[in-house]
Amino acid sequence: QQQVKQSPQSLIVQKGGISIINCAYENTAFDYFPWYQQFPGKGPALLIAIRPDVSEKKEGRFTISFNKSAKQFSLHIMDSQPGDSATYFCAARTDVREYGNKLVFGAGTILRVKS
Amino acid sequence: NAGVTQTPKFQVLKTGQSMTLQCAQDMNHNSMYWYRQDPGMGLRLIYYSASEGTTDKGEVPNGYNVSRLNKREFSLRLESAAPSQTSVYFCASSNYNEQFFGPGTRLTVL
C-alpha cells in the first residue's frame, strides 16, 4: 500500500520544455515533503523540499507547488535540460517528534529530456 | 569528507547464503537507514536507527537484521538469502531533515 502516489511513471520532454511530476497523499500528519533526484548508478540526492504551510517553493528552475486541501504536490522543472534526465522521487514525512525522521517515497518518475 | 559509503558495490549470492552489507557515514549524523529499491516500487524502508544503540523495523523488515555498531556504522544482514531479496540496497543518514544516501549495493540472489 503506497502512502504517496506518484505519476507519471515515465516522462519524455523536449529540451526547453516544462516537466511536471505529480504526487498525492492521504495522511494529513505528513509535515515535510521533499523531492529527490537520482542519476543512474547513484544514490538519490535531495533536490528541493517544502512544508505544508506554504503553497510554493522555487529554487532556480525547480518549483514545488503544494495544495494542502487537495493533498497533492508537484514538481515543475522549467526550461528542462538533457542533464535533468534522471529518476525523481517525491516523499513525505510524519511528525518527526513521534515517528523519527522517516520518509515514505513515491514509486518514482523516470524523466528523459530530448535534445 | 566521504559522506555515506557502502560495501560491496555488487554481490551475487546463491539462495540460502548469508551476507552482511556494510555502511558508514562521516557526517556525525544520529539517524541511519536501510532501503531497498525495486523497479516501480520506489524506495522502501527496511530498518531504521534513530541513534546509536536503537533500531526499528521499517516497511519491509522480513528476512533482514541490522546492527548499529557505533554512531558511524550501520550494517544490514541477510541470514538466508532468497531470490525475492534481489534488489539495490541503499544506506542513508540524516540530520533533522535531509537524508544523505550512499551509492548503493546491487545484490542478485540466484
Side-chain angles (χ1 to χ4, degrees), chain A residues 9-88:
Chain A
Q9 283 187 322
S10 63
L11 182 61
I12 300 175
V13 173
Q14 291 288 341
K15 179 182 174 182
I18 302 173
S19 304
I20 302 174
I21 304 170
N22 300 300
C23 286
Y25 64 96
E26 289 296 325
N27 189 346
T28 55
F30 288 144
D31 68 348
Y32 172 71
F33 300 86
W35 285 88
Y36 280 78
Q37 180 187 54
Q38 183 183 31
F39 293 105
K42 305 290 187 184
L46 179 66
L47 181 64
I48 186 172
I50 197 168
R51 294 193 180 276
D53 52 350
V54 298
S55 60
E56 186 175 283
K57 183 172 182 180
K58 184 176 181 179
E59 290 185 0
R61 296 184 294 109
F62 300 91
T63 300
I64 301 178
S65 297
F66 190 86
N67 186 329
K68 190 173 182 177
S69 61
K71 291 185 282 188
Q72 295 175 349
F73 58 111
S74 59
L75 176 69
H76 296 237
I77 306 174
M78 311 301 288
D79 187 26
S80 298
Q81 299 296 314
D84 296 330
S85 298
T87 300
Y88 292 81

Side-chain angles (χ1 to χ4, degrees), chain A residues 36 38 51 89 93 96 101, chain B residues 33 37 94 96-97 99:
Chain A
Y36 280 78
Q38 183 183 31
R51 294 193 180 276
F89 295 97
R93 185 188 72 190
V96 67
N101 190 19
Chain B
Y33 314 79
Q37 182 177 11
S94 77
Y96 185 76
N97 287 327
Q99 291 190 15

Side-chain angles (χ1 to χ4, degrees), chain B residues 88-107:
Chain B
V88 181
Y89 291 85
F90 288 99
C91 176
S93 69
S94 77
N95 54 13
Y96 185 76
N97 287 327
E98 181 175 358
Q99 291 190 15
F100 295 82
F101 286 79
T105 295
R106 185 173 293 275
L107 175 67

Side-chain angles (χ1 to χ4, degrees), chain A residues 1-9 21-25 30 34-36 38 73 87-92 103-109, chain B residues 35-44 59:
Chain A
Q1 181 186 352
Q2 198 119 47
Q3 294 191 52
V4 179
K5 294 186 177 178
Q6 183 172 346
S7 63
Q9 283 187 322
I21 304 170
N22 300 300
C23 286
Y25 64 96
F30 288 144
W35 285 88
Y36 280 78
Q38 183 183 31
F73 58 111
T87 300
Y88 292 81
F89 295 97
C90 62
L103 296 174
V104 176
F105 285 86
T109 297
Chain B
Y35 292 92
R36 61 178 289 173
Q37 182 177 11
D38 302 290
M41 305 287 286
L43 292 146
R44 292 182 292 168
E59 183 184 352

